[in-house]
Amino acid sequence: MREKVLLICEECLSRNYTMTVKVEADRPLKVKKYCPHCGKHTFHKISK
């Protein structure tokens, strides 16, 4: 089963992207994506 999660920028803490991830996966997810608020590529993590 998959669950929708929000990704937030680690620098400015803005919520930019949504993703679907497996519910069983308990490992933290870090993805390098473009942040329109910062204007550069930063790491994004799952919002709790």
Side-chain angles (χ1 to χ4, degrees), residues 15-30:
R15 292 176 170 90
N16 298 324
Y17 296 97
T18 58
M19 283 183 89
T20 56
V21 294
K22 287 186 178 181
V23 175
E24 294 86 20
D26 291 333
R27 62 189 157 109
L29 176 72
K30 274 188 153 180

Side-chain angles (χ1 to χ4, degrees), residues 2-18:
R2 298 179 84 70
E3 176 182 340
K4 278 190 180 179
V5 294
L6 288 171
L7 294 179
I8 61 171
C9 176
E10 288 190 338
E11 290 189 20
C12 66
L13 300 177
S14 64
R15 292 176 170 90
N16 298 324
Y17 296 97
T18 58

